[in-house]
Amino acid sequence: MDVVRTAIGLMSGTSMDGIDVALIRTDGRGFIERGPFLGMPYEADFRRRLKRALELARPLRDRTERPAELREIELELTLRHATAVRAFLERFGLAANGVDVLGFHGQTVLHRSDEGLTVQIGDGRELARRTGIPVVYDMRANDMVHGGQGAPLVPAYHAALAGKFQQAGEAVCFVNIGGISNLTYIGADGRIAAFDSGPGNTLIDQWIEMQTGRTYDPGGEIGGRGRIVPALAERYLDSPFFRGNVRRSLDRGDFAPLRPDEASLEDGARTLAHVAAASIVKSAGFLPERPSAYIVCGGGRLNGTLMAELSAMAGGSSVLSAEAAGFDGDAMEAEAWAYLAVRSLDGLPLTFPGTTGVAAPVSGGVLATP
């Protein structure tokens, strides 16, 4: 009989806005019982520190390298995750000894899939020591050792969830719109295909912060007042990333932000929301077939302008928020990291040829005990 474990997932994504904490009970296979969720935003000073980490990581050639300042930021990040775990346990009346494992994503500061290099900062051993809970971390690296792109990893969880929504004979596609967007296709026959689809929130957030000092466009309201600037949109959508049959994983630096004088605040936000939606549809052209529904999770689902653009381009496929499909779009990535941690403990595959391009299904992750 498969063992059901209680797992907490910790996710700090490319938007660098905070830590998502979610609990599930799962056997790492088909049984999933979703529990509570908590979002812990970063303060502005620490967000600036994380952006500094991106600069410090740029010259790295080994994923274990930690120049002194980067190591300091890594420790700060780890301590914040420990604080988030303690706050989560206290908020929901849970005990650390009632949690079997933490799935710790850390913060991706460098991802060069073509070079087989990915760097996630976050000290799993220190997190285990400070929380008293075993930690599975560094879950991307083994995939890249075996020839994969190291991303996306969430598809294994999407596939497990699909059975709760999918109608017989229909394909569905989960769309995660974080800093970078990615797609997970689950065919009627259970076939999985997944890949990064293009820029998600990152370009919009960078534009809004550059122009206003705010960190995002709440609800897509700013973009909703603007117009698409075709020349700017095409500059992104003509990228070689959208041509050819080889899908690759993306780093947040693969698409350069707009320059400050290239558009008005509103037109820039609208154009970049259009780019995010069009990127999804362009990349969906590489799926085995058009899905009956797109289920949208991640922060981008809250951008009404982006969602309206996606609905208009979806070509007859329905576009649903995760909540409309019965899920929690805020919690899903953190839940996925909890699910993957349990799979890692059991030596089950985290990635597959159809998700990262790895030659054969492969497990991964490093286990740290208190």
Side-chain angles (χ1 to χ4, degrees):
M1 181 177 177
D2 298 330
V3 177
V4 174
R5 294 183 174 92
T6 298
I8 290 176
L10 302 166
M11 182 67 200
S12 179
T14 49
S15 296
M16 298 189 300
D17 52 1
I19 302 167
D20 292 337
V21 189
L23 182 144
I24 63 171
R25 295 183 68 249
T26 183
D27 60 1
R29 296 164 175 84
F31 176 81
I32 299 167
E33 185 178 274
R34 293 169 41 234
F37 166 79
L38 181 66
M40 299 280 288
Y42 291 136
E43 65 275 22
D45 284 348
F46 186 65
R47 289 188 75 243
R48 284 191 284 271
R49 291 280 280 159
L50 284 181
K51 290 180 182 179
R52 171 64 177 157
L54 300 178
E55 299 172 16
L56 295 168
R58 203 170 294 141
L60 298 185
R61 291 292 178 267
D62 185 298
R63 68 185 181 87
T64 63
E65 284 184 71
R66 296 292 186 273
E69 188 179 354
L70 185 60
R71 174 59 187 151
E72 290 174 6
I73 298 170
E74 180 173 55
L75 180 57
E76 292 173 31
L77 178 81
T78 304
L79 296 180
R80 279 169 173 76
H81 277 74
T83 298
V85 171
R86 288 192 293 270
F88 181 86
L89 295 175
E90 183 176 346
R91 170 78 63 89
F92 298 107
L94 303 169
N97 61 10
V99 179
D100 296 299
V101 66
L102 302 177
F104 182 28
H105 178 269
Q107 183 72 49
T108 300
V109 293
L110 183 69
H111 190 80
R112 294 185 183 140
S113 56
D114 295 340
E115 300 174 20
L117 177 62
T118 187
V119 181
Q120 282 79 46
I121 59 171
D123 188 331
R125 290 180 174 82
E126 184 67 17
L127 184 62
R129 189 179 73 81
R130 288 184 176 267
T131 61
I133 303 170
V135 175
V136 173
Y137 67 105
D138 201 14
M139 290 192 232
R140 298 187 189 276
N142 198 46
D143 177 81
M144 299 185 85
V145 167
H146 287 83
Q149 295 272 308
L153 264 68
V154 178
Y157 185 57
H158 286 160
L161 291 179
K164 302 178 185 300
F165 173 85
Q166 198 168 11
Q167 301 296 313
E170 293 185 347
V172 299
C173 182
F174 284 84
V175 182
N176 180 53
I177 308 178
I180 298 296
S181 295
N182 55 67
L183 308 180
T184 302
Y185 162 96
I186 300 98
D189 59 357
R191 177 182 176 185
I192 304 174
F195 41 78
D196 284 353
S197 59
N201 299 321
T202 291
L203 291 174
I204 304 169
D205 293 349
Q206 288 171 331
W207 175 252
I208 296 298
E209 187 165 13
M210 181 193 307
Q211 297 288 335
T212 71
R214 298 163 74 177
T215 56
Y216 69 105
D217 179 3
E221 294 171 5
I222 296 171
R225 299 195 298 269
R227 294 182 298 178
I228 297 166
V229 182
L232 295 180
E234 286 308 308
R235 191 171 79 202
Y236 289 108
L237 297 173
D238 281 345
S239 165
F241 174 78
F242 299 109
R243 298 193 293 272
N245 291 321
V246 178
R247 303 290 85 209
R248 70 177 183 85
S249 59
L250 292 166
D251 180 80
R252 62 177 275 134
D254 283 332
F255 291 88
L258 290 177
R259 295 188 297 275
D261 59 350
E262 289 193 283
S264 70
L265 168 64
E266 293 82 3
D267 289 356
R270 175 65 185 277
T271 300
L272 294 173
H274 172 81
V275 166
S279 296
I280 291 164
V281 174
K282 271 181 168 281
S283 292
F286 294 95
L287 297 173
E289 63 178 305
R290 191 174 74 187
S292 63
Y294 292 101
I295 301 170
V296 186
C297 50
R301 81 193 190 288
L302 303 176
N303 184 317
T305 302
L306 196 168
M307 290 289 280
E309 291 276 351
L310 181 57
S311 295
M313 297 181 206
S317 301
S318 58
V319 175
L320 304 170
S321 69
E323 287 73 17
F327 307 120
D328 184 334
D330 287 327
M332 196 176 289
E333 270 201 290
E335 290 173 356
W337 241 252
Y339 182 77
L340 292 170
V342 171
R343 288 183 68 84
S344 177
L345 291 177
D346 288 342
L348 296 171
L350 307 187
T351 56
F352 305 85
T355 63
T356 65
V358 70
V362 63
S363 191
V366 178
L367 175 64
T369 54

